[in-house]
Structures are given as structure tokens and as C-alpha cells.
């Protein structure tokens, strides 16, 4: 059962939190790479993609949380309940690939931040990022979800300050910003970056995770006023978290477009740091690097948490968190040791994520529209229609991406 909910603001604020953990996925290092690359290459062109993706993400995250609260099942569990064992294995495999792609982006981002701040080799930085993310997960396991949410929310605020500080120092012209809200592309590379932004914003592992976060935090309230109030608070939770995440992402792209375009090769995160240092000063540059580090640490722990929930829900397997952390860390460390381009790897990892979105979003729309499962809290018909439109738009963008990448 959910805790008693009073009308006091204090109690309502106390109930916020699960969406802030999920929102970490929307300000991870993959977002930094995609947004910086978009701003430096195409200026304000793809700002509309960030806005659209953030609106889509808000709807999807609320539906995920609602599923967990109303049914008492996480999205992976609800999907697994309706599949035979072989189908569950296949479904888990694609979800696990997506989760590991997420981990690659997050660990690499943390490693790049540690190299910027302390000059550490990338593989060493990746190991440190993985170790600290494991410590954050141990806080959740040993001290409970509430403290974990508090720590992650604190890191989210650090990320927000780090990535938006430069926006207030040098504000882009309003006319060009408004022009970036007009939907359009400019060649195959802009579509690739749009898919990367989308994959970095509507993240499959966050969709799977939010249902379990909401259920574990609030329980499975019975139908009635208590559930309705909790769902209303959840809408506020999601709305506030997504406004913060969307604002951070937009600020990243705007800063890159305003300060870094035309300043040579600033397509990499480290070059972006140097560009910020050169144009806005060392203090803003250090804040940028600290925001990137907080992003890598927080998102890596949240990604590992999501991977464990996906495995538990689809396969009913429980792997010790230390073992899972070590296994999922291997691809990122291997890539860092091979000296691949970190920023390009981050962007491509977000494209991989975008291909996993329909596998999370389509079942979510179908399940939350099912009146037999959801009862009176099933989606309104208009919500279901919008949800299907979002899922189809994402799928079509991926088809266009493949075509333009192959033929371009």
C-alpha cells in the first residue's frame, strides 16, 4: 500500500523523487556529445528535436510510472508476463544490448571528465567511474531508495549548474533560437544527430526503470482518492524533472551553437571544454567538466540499476550487483583502451539506443491502454493515440536514418 497522503505541501513534496532518478538518463554524457556535436556542426538547427524529444519523454515517463503504480508490476515484468520463455530471452537480449550501449556512453563520459579535470588516462578514468557508480548502487541496496534518490537528485542539480552556467554568461540571440524551433534537417549527418538526440532523450532503460522506481517507492495503492492523488503528484514529479532535463539539454546545444561554431574543430567534448575555456573563462569551463563528471557517475549507476531490473523482470534472474557492474563495464573499458574517438562513440551509442525505443514504448502504450489491466486508470483514447503517434514517429526516424546513412 502507498503511504498515507495528506493535503499538506510537505507530504506532497516528499513524494517527489522517482522521476528525478529517471531524468538522470536524459542528461547523461551521451546527451552532452549529441548536443555539443549538433550545436557545433549545425548551430541552432536541431533545437526543435530537443524540445520534441523532451515532450515525448515526459509522456512516456508518466505512463511508465502509472503502469508501476496501478498494476504493481514493472514494465519488464508486465512484458514478460505475456511472453513465452524463448520470446522473453530474445526480448531481454535486445534490452540488454541497449543497456550496455547506455553504459558505454556513461562510463566514457566520466572518463573524459576525469581526464579533463585530473589528466587521468581514459581507461583509468573509466574504472574509477565504474567503481564510484557501484558505490552509489550500494547506497541504494543498503540504505534504501529514498537516500539513493536524494543523492541522485543532488547530482542532477550539480549537472544542471555545470551545463547551464555558460548559457547565462553568453546568451544566444533570440531570433536564431526561435529559428531553431522550426522542424527541418540539413543532410544525412543532421538526421544522424537527430536520432542521437532522440536516443539520448527518450531512453529505453529509463522507460523500463521508471515503472519499478514508482512502484518500489509508493507501493501499489488501491483504486480511489489515494491513487488519484498519487498519480497527480507523479505528473508533477515527471513534469518538474523533465523541465530541468530539457532546459539543460537545450542550454548545451545553444552554448555550443553560440560559442563553438566557427572556432575550428570543437566536435569533441574535450575540444568543447577548451572552447568554453577560451571564450567564457576557466571557471565556466571547470563547471562544465564537473557537470560532465557528475553526469557520468550518476547515469552509470542508474543505468546499471535499470539493467538489473530488466533482467529480473524478463528472466527472473538476479545477478549480484558487483558481478553485473564488472561485466557491463568491460565494453566501455575495452573501447577506451583501444583509443577510439570518445565523442563519436558516445554519439553512435545514442543511435543504438534509439533503435531500442520502440521495444520499450510500444508495449508501454498497449499495456497502459488495456482496461482489463489498468481498470479506470487506463489511458484516455487521446493519450493512446498520441502515444502511438510518438512511437511511430520514432520508428520512422530510424528507417530514414538507415536509408540516409547507407546512401549518403
Amino acid at each position: 500500500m502507498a503511504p498515507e497522503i495528506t493535503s499538506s505541501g510537505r507530504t506532497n513534496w516528499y513524494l517527489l523523487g522517482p522521476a528525478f532518478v529517471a531524468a538522470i538518463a536524459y542528461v547523461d554524457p551521451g546527451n552532452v556529445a549529441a548536443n555539443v556535436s549538433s550545436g557545433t556542426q549545425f548551430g541552432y538547427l536541431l533545437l526543435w528535436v530537443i524540445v520534441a524529444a523532451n515532450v515525448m519523454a515526459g509522456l512516456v515517463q508518466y505512463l511508465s510510472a502509472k503502469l508501476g503504480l496501478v498494476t504493481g508490476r514493472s514494465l519488464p515484468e508486465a512484458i514478460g508476463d505475456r511472453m513465452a520463455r524463448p520470446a522473453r530471452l530474445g526480448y531481454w537480449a535486445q534490452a540488454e544490448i541497449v543497456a550496455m550501449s547506455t553504459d558505454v556512453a556513461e562510463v566514457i563520459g566520466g572518463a573524459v571528465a576525469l581526464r579533463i579535470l585530473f589528466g587521468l588516462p581514459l581507461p583509468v578514468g573509466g574504472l574509477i567511474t565504474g567503481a564510484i557508480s557501484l558505490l552509489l548502487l550500494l547506497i541504494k541496496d543498503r540504505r534504501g531508495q529514498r537516500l539513493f534518490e536524494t543523492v541522485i537528485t543532488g547530482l542532477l542539480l550539480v549537472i544542471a549548474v555545470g551545463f547551464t552556467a555558460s548559457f547565462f554568461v553568453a546568451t544566444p540571440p533570440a531570433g536564431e533560437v526561435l529559428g531553431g524551433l522550426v522542424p527541418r534537417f540539413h543532410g544525412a549527418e543532421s538526421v544522424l544527430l537527430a536520432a542521437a538526440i532522440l536516443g539520448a532523450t527518450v531512453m529505453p532503460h529509463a522507460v523500463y526503470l521508471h515503472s519499478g522506481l514508482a512502484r518500489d517507492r509508493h507501493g501499489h495503492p488501491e483504486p480511489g482518492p489515494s491513487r488519484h492523488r498519487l498519480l497527480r503528484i507523479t505528473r508533477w514529479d515527471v513534469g518538474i524533472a523533465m523541465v530541468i532535463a530539457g532546459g539543460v539539454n537545450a542550454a548545451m546545444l545553444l552554448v555550443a551553437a553560440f560559442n563553438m561554431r566557427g572556432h575550428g574543430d570543437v566536435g569533441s567534448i574535450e575540444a568543447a571544454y577548451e572552447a568554453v575555456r577560451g571564450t567564457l573563462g576557466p571557471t565556466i569551463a571547470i563547471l562544465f567538466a564537473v557537470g560532465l563528471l557528475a553526469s557520468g557517475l550518476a547515469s552509470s549507476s542508474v543505468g546499471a540499476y535499470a539493467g538489473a531490473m530488466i533482467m529480473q523482470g524478463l528472466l527472473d534472474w538476479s545477478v549480484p550487483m558487483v558481478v553485473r557492474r564488472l561485466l557491463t563495464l568491460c565494453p566501455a573499458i575495452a573501447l577506451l583502451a583501444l583509443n577510439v574517438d570518445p565523442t563519436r562513440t558516445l554519439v553512435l551509442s545514442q543511435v543504438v539506443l534509439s533503435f531500442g525505443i520502440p521495444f520499450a514504448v510500444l508495449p508501454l502504450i498497449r499495456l497502459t491502454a488495456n482496461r482489463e489491466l489498468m481498470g479506470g486508470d487506463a489511458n484516455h483514447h487521446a493519450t493512446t493515440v498520441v502515444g502511438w503517434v510518438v512511437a511511430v514517429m520514432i520508428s520512422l526516424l530510424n528507417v530514414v536514418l538507415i536509408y540516409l546513412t547507407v546512401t549518403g
Side-chain angles (χ1 to χ4, degrees), residues 16 49 86 207 281 333 391:
L16 301 179
V49 178
V207 179
I333 299 301

Side-chain angles (χ1 to χ4, degrees), residues 63-282:
L63 294 182
S64 177
K66 183 171 76 167
L67 177 72
L69 290 171
V70 172
T71 67
R73 306 286 283 171
S74 69
L75 178 57
E77 289 171 339
I79 292 172
D81 290 343
R82 288 156 177 78
M83 286 184 173
R85 184 72 178 178
R88 289 205 305 271
L89 283 170
Y91 208 93
W92 167 78
Q94 65 81 25
E96 194 66 40
I97 290 171
V98 167
M100 292 184 74
S101 296
T102 303
D103 214 37
V104 166
E106 292 154 352
V107 172
I108 288 178
V112 169
L114 288 169
R115 183 161 75 174
I116 290 172
L117 290 168
F118 306 110
L120 296 177
L122 287 176
V124 174
L127 290 171
I128 292 174
T129 301
I132 296 177
S133 69
L134 179 59
L135 291 177
L136 293 175
L137 290 168
L138 291 176
I139 290 176
K140 190 268 175 188
D141 287 343
R142 299 188 178 183
R143 300 294 300 274
Q145 182 171 327
R146 180 59 182 164
L147 180 59
F148 179 72
E149 288 176 3
T150 301
V151 172
I152 295 298
T153 300
L155 289 172
L156 177 61
L157 294 176
V158 172
I159 295 166
V161 172
F163 288 140
T164 60
S166 54
F167 176 72
F168 293 102
V169 173
T171 304
E176 295 191 47
V177 173
L178 291 175
L181 298 176
V182 178
R184 63 197 190 280
F185 295 107
H186 185 67
E189 183 67 15
S190 69
V191 179
L192 177 67
L193 286 171
I197 291 172
L198 190 63
T201 305
V202 187
M203 298 191 77
H205 77 283
V207 179
Y208 293 120
L209 177 64
H210 202 167
S211 55
L213 286 171
R215 176 204 58 193
D216 294 345
R217 173 70 184 282
H218 301 306
H220 174 35
E222 296 295 331
S226 180
R227 179 189 288 181
H228 290 158
R229 182 183 290 266
L230 195 53
L231 288 172
R232 185 166 60 251
I233 292 168
T234 298
R235 287 193 289 272
W236 277 99
D237 192 25
V238 172
I240 295 170
M242 294 313 301
V243 165
I244 295 173
V248 170
N249 282 316
M252 282 188 236
L253 185 144
L254 293 174
V255 167
F258 186 57
N259 296 290
M260 303 172 199
R261 197 178 187 196
H263 286 73
D265 179 18
V266 290
S268 72
I269 291 177
E270 289 177 279
Y273 165 80
E274 293 298 335
V276 170
R277 182 181 176 89
T279 57
L280 300 176

Side-chain angles (χ1 to χ4, degrees), residues 37-64:
S37 295
S38 299
T40 55
Q41 292 184 49
F42 297 102
Y44 307 96
L45 179 75
L46 297 179
L47 179 61
W48 69 272
V49 178
I50 291 179
V51 175
N54 206 64
V55 173
M56 294 178 190
L59 171 64
V60 170
Q61 292 302 143
Y62 171 68
L63 294 182
S64 177

Side-chain angles (χ1 to χ4, degrees), residues 224-360:
S226 180
R227 179 189 288 181
H228 290 158
R229 182 183 290 266
L230 195 53
L231 288 172
R232 185 166 60 251
I233 292 168
T234 298
R235 287 193 289 272
W236 277 99
D237 192 25
V238 172
I240 295 170
M242 294 313 301
V243 165
I244 295 173
V248 170
N249 282 316
M252 282 188 236
L253 185 144
L254 293 174
V255 167
F258 186 57
N259 296 290
M260 303 172 199
R261 197 178 187 196
H263 286 73
D265 179 18
V266 290
S268 72
I269 291 177
E270 289 177 279
Y273 165 80
E274 293 298 335
V276 170
R277 182 181 176 89
T279 57
L280 300 176
T283 300
I284 297 299
I286 290 296
L287 289 173
F288 176 89
V290 170
L292 177 63
L293 179 59
S295 170
L297 297 176
S299 58
S300 184
S301 64
V302 170
Y305 185 7
M309 183 176 290
I310 291 168
M311 178 179 285
Q312 178 70 36
L314 288 171
L315 302 183
D316 199 24
W317 291 352
S318 182
V319 177
M321 192 59 71
V322 174
V323 175
R324 180 176 179 85
R325 175 71 285 187
L326 292 175
L327 289 175
T328 57
L329 195 60
C330 290
I333 299 301
L335 289 170
L336 291 172
L338 291 172
N339 201 32
V340 298
D341 179 4
T343 302
R344 187 64 176 174
T345 302
L346 284 170
V347 172
L348 292 177
S349 74
Q350 304 311 295
V351 176
V352 173
L353 291 181
S354 72
F355 287 97
I357 294 170
F359 292 97

